[in-house]
Amino acid sequence: MILKRSIAPKSADSNYSLIDMLPGQIGTITEIDHGHGLVRKLCSMGIVPGKKIMKVSQILVGGPIVIRIDDHDLALGRGIASRIKVRMEI
């Protein structure tokens, strides 16, 4: 018996991790998937659900991810970036 895993493409309404975005893409933060401490820290930086962000760049081998939010560039570690869910604009 052969088992195949079907991977359905995500729609524009789906939540993606910030890591899944490509540099230059714009999205809206939909949720932060972690505890209250991280949520408070990100909130103090202006990273809250409903805000539009743009992914500026990322280093492919485990480096930081740079985002632009409210005319400020912020560098986030990959662990934190993986907890931020966004709805990408088309």
Side-chain angles (χ1 to χ4, degrees), residues 55-77:
K55 185 172 185 176
V56 176
S57 66
Q58 78 178 35
I59 298 174
L60 296 178
V61 186
I65 292 173
V66 180
I67 62 169
R68 181 166 296 140
I69 186 166
D70 292 336
D71 297 324
H72 299 287
D73 289 355
L74 300 169
L76 302 172

Side-chain angles (χ1 to χ4, degrees), residues 2 5 7 9 12 14 18 31 44 49 53 58 68:
I2 298 174
R5 192 170 106 183
I7 301 174
S14 296
L18 182 56
E31 65 180 294
S44 72
I53 61 169
Q58 78 178 35
R68 181 166 296 140

